[in-house]
Amino acid sequence: MIEEIGVPRATFYRWRQYKKGPKSIKLPNGAVRIRRSELSRWLQTLEESA
C-alpha cells in the first residue's frame, strides 16, 4: 500500500512513528499491514482538510 500512497518506505514508517499516517497493524512476524478501509478513511480525512 505504500506504493498506492506514493511515499518512500522511510516516510511511511516515520508517519507511523508519529501517528500521522493511516493506522496500521503489526503482525506477529513483524510485517506491517494497513486495512483497505483504514487507508480509505485516512485519505478521506486528507481530502476534507484540503
Side-chain angles (χ1 to χ4, degrees), residues 1-42:
M1 293 221 188
I2 293 173
E3 297 82 24
E4 272 186 63
I5 300 171
V7 297
R9 185 175 300 269
T11 300
F12 170 75
Y13 282 103
R14 191 173 329 109
W15 287 352
R16 200 169 163 261
Q17 179 182 4
Y18 294 115
K19 300 183 188 320
K20 298 215 178 245
K23 291 181 185 175
S24 56
I25 301 165
K26 189 167 188 179
L27 301 177
N29 66 359
V32 176
R33 298 289 184 262
I34 303 168
R35 287 193 170 109
R36 171 82 42 204
S37 60
E38 179 56 31
L39 179 61
S40 296
R41 185 203 64 77
W42 181 72

